[in-house]
Amino acid sequence: MTTVLIADDQPLQRMGFKMLLDGTPGMAVVGEAATGTEAVRMVEQTRPDVVLMDVRMPGVDGIEATRRITAAGSRTHVLILTTFDLDEYVYAGLRAGASGFLLKDARPEELIAGIRAVASGESVVAPSLTRKLMTAYLQDAAPVKQDRRLATLSEREREVLEAIGQGATNTEIAERFVLTESTVKKHVGRVLAKIGARDRIQAVIFAYDNGLVQPRATDPPAPLTARGDDRGLEHP
């Protein structure tokens, strides 16, 4: 059973999500929150698998609530819901520790698939679109002093991290380095563990922060989607 907390300041929006999830086998809504503060408190009380987090809420918004939830070491994963595909708040949410995001106009089956993926530790943003998101908001950002955790990576693990940061899928990484996909998954898992990343998205941010990947102004804009193979729902 996947447990979900709904955080949204719109009662009708919460009701719609609750009706959908309560009618889905294997899903259970454990609570509703109208503010970020309430969401943080309810996560501590109910410990859901996933929080559906709205961005714009009164008082403590969804970004700060996400930051507080992940900083507390909670096992709960946050799935941000937004109206705009390249909203700057989305990037801020991912940096705060969210495991992905979906548009509010996503189809019901996309939302369900996204919740299940996030609950199992996957990321709900296509790797190539993650790169475009980073490019959009890191154009002027200078890389910080390299994190000492980089030194714990083997040469192959560092190459895999760079490839993740470039938006490569496991299949593409396997082809690039002539490896099996199962071997790539093992490398990805070790990379995430060594750099302390909750999921693939956080690994992308880590790669950018440490200058392993540079934003490219030539990347064309593209809408974010959670449909079919574009979901990027890969097991580490």
Side-chain angles (χ1 to χ4, degrees), residues 11-235:
L12 286 178
Q13 190 82 65
R14 294 197 306 273
M15 182 177 69
F17 287 141
K18 188 175 189 304
M19 290 177 62
L20 171 64
L21 298 181
D22 282 344
T24 301
M27 293 275 177
V29 175
V30 295
E32 300 178 36
T35 67
T37 300
E38 189 175 7
V40 174
R41 176 176 57 80
M42 293 190 70
V43 165
E44 294 176 351
Q45 294 175 346
T46 63
R47 301 188 182 280
D49 296 312
V50 178
V51 177
L52 287 184
M53 184 74 77
D54 186 24
V55 173
R56 297 176 177 87
M57 291 185 288
V60 173
D61 63 16
I63 306 302
E64 179 58 27
T66 297
R67 184 176 295 108
R68 294 182 186 183
I69 290 169
T70 57
S74 172
R75 69 173 182 83
T76 298
H77 295 277
V78 178
L79 178 57
I80 286 182
L81 298 174
T82 182
T83 304
F84 304 104
D85 56 4
L86 282 180
D87 193 313
E88 65 183 71
Y89 292 108
V90 173
Y91 169 70
L94 296 179
R95 180 172 287 280
S99 294
F101 69 93
L102 290 175
L103 299 180
K104 283 192 173 182
D105 63 358
R107 295 180 303 194
E109 60 268 28
E110 294 172 346
L111 179 61
I112 297 300
I115 292 172
R116 286 176 174 156
V118 167
S120 65
E122 300 172 5
S123 302
V124 190
V125 180
S128 61
L129 297 176
T130 301
R131 184 185 66 246
K132 291 179 174 63
L133 182 64
M134 294 300 149
T135 298
Y137 295 104
L138 291 179
Q139 290 291 348
D140 300 321
V144 298
K145 183 179 179 180
Q146 287 200 333
D147 194 301
R148 59 187 178 186
R149 287 174 291 184
L150 280 176
T152 68
L153 301 180
S154 67
E155 182 178 354
R156 175 63 77 198
E157 289 166 351
R158 186 181 177 110
E159 291 173 339
V160 168
L161 175 58
E162 290 179 7
I164 293 173
Q166 292 164 357
T169 64
N170 285 352
T171 299
E172 292 168 340
I173 295 173
E175 293 174 351
R176 181 182 305 183
F177 299 120
V178 194
L179 301 170
T180 65
E181 285 196 47
S182 61
T183 298
V184 170
K185 289 181 180 180
K186 291 178 182 177
H187 282 311
V188 172
R190 285 196 289 267
V191 167
L192 296 183
K194 287 184 177 181
I195 66 175
R198 289 166 60 92
D199 50 44
R200 204 179 185 95
I201 290 179
Q202 302 307 312
V204 172
I205 293 175
F206 184 91
Y208 271 87
D209 279 349
N210 287 277
L212 298 184
V213 183
Q214 296 297 321
R216 299 185 305 186
T218 55
D219 279 336
L224 293 172
T225 177
R227 296 188 175 91
D229 293 337
D230 288 335
R231 285 182 299 173
L233 307 182
E234 299 185 1
H235 293 284

